[in-house]
């Protein structure tokens, strides 16, 4: 296992823990100071035209809103991830208890931190967003 793949595994595990605990500081600690998140949820929660937030202050505000509004369909059933050591990708949808929000998470990692985080929404997740 390379150092990059260790970083991917560490970030995968710690991001899930931060999400589950709604631990803002733990989540932010995984991102580089100039990192970005790109997601349809950015437009929805931040009421912006663009779906991207840049930098630690914007990340703090966005993640705070995510933790405050996390719907019950955003379960945490995980089946693993794929990584080349620099890019981490996961796509959970089906869980033992039924469907969960289907989000493809792609995190670009540099120097042990998330530099760019992109979240692509599937049909089930988009329906949850439309209903909120």
């Amino acid at each position: 296992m390379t150092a990059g793949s260790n970083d991917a595994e560490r970030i995968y595990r710690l991001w899930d823990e931060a999400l589950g605990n709604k631990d803002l500081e733990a989540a932010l600690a995984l991102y580089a100071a100039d990192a970005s998140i790109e997601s349809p949820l950015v437009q929805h929660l931040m009421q912006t035209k663009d779906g991207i937030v840049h930098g630690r202050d914007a990340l703090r505000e966005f993640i705070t809103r995510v933790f405050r509004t996390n719907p019950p369909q955003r379960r945490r059933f995980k089946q693993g991830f794929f990584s080349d050591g620099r890019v981490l990708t996961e796509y959970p949808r089906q869980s033992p208890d039924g469907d969960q929000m289907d989000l493809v998470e792609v995190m670009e990692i540099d120097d042990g931190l998330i530099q760019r985080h992109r979240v692509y929404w599937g049909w089930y997740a988009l329906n949850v967003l439309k209903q909120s």
Side-chain angles (χ1 to χ4, degrees):
M1 199 177 260
T2 67
S5 60
N6 285 336
D7 288 338
E9 184 174 348
R10 178 183 55 79
I11 287 171
Y12 174 80
R13 182 180 43 78
L14 292 176
W15 172 247
D16 184 55
E17 288 175 13
L19 180 66
N21 295 326
K22 296 184 179 183
D23 186 338
L24 178 62
E25 297 307 319
L28 285 172
L30 300 174
Y31 290 89
D34 61 344
S36 66
I37 296 178
E38 179 177 343
S39 169
L41 197 55
V42 171
Q43 286 181 310
H44 182 74
L45 293 179
M46 304 295 280
Q47 299 295 301
T48 62
K49 179 181 158 191
D50 295 325
I52 304 172
V53 292
H54 296 276
R56 181 96 6 100
D57 291 339
L59 289 170
R60 176 178 296 281
E61 179 62 27
F62 175 66
I63 294 171
T64 296
R65 292 181 188 198
V66 168
F67 288 171
R68 200 177 317 140
T69 62
N70 212 1
Q73 296 92 334
R74 177 70 161 126
R75 297 186 193 128
R76 292 176 48 235
F77 178 74
K78 303 282 190 168
Q79 292 180 306
F81 65 94
F82 299 99
S83 181
D84 64 359
R86 192 180 89 62
V87 179
L88 181 154
T89 303
E90 68 167 320
Y91 176 73
R93 183 178 68 78
Q94 294 178 323
S95 75
D97 300 325
D99 286 328
Q100 65 181 351
M101 289 177 66
D102 48 338
L103 309 173
V104 175
E105 305 257 358
V106 179
M107 299 175 184
E108 293 179 17
I109 302 166
D110 190 27
D111 289 330
L113 296 172
I114 302 167
Q115 186 64 47
R116 186 171 180 209
H117 186 173
R118 295 182 311 265
V119 185
Y120 301 99
W121 290 52
W123 64 270
Y124 187 83
L126 282 174
N127 284 334
V128 171
L129 184 62
K130 288 177 187 177
Q131 295 169 6
S132 68

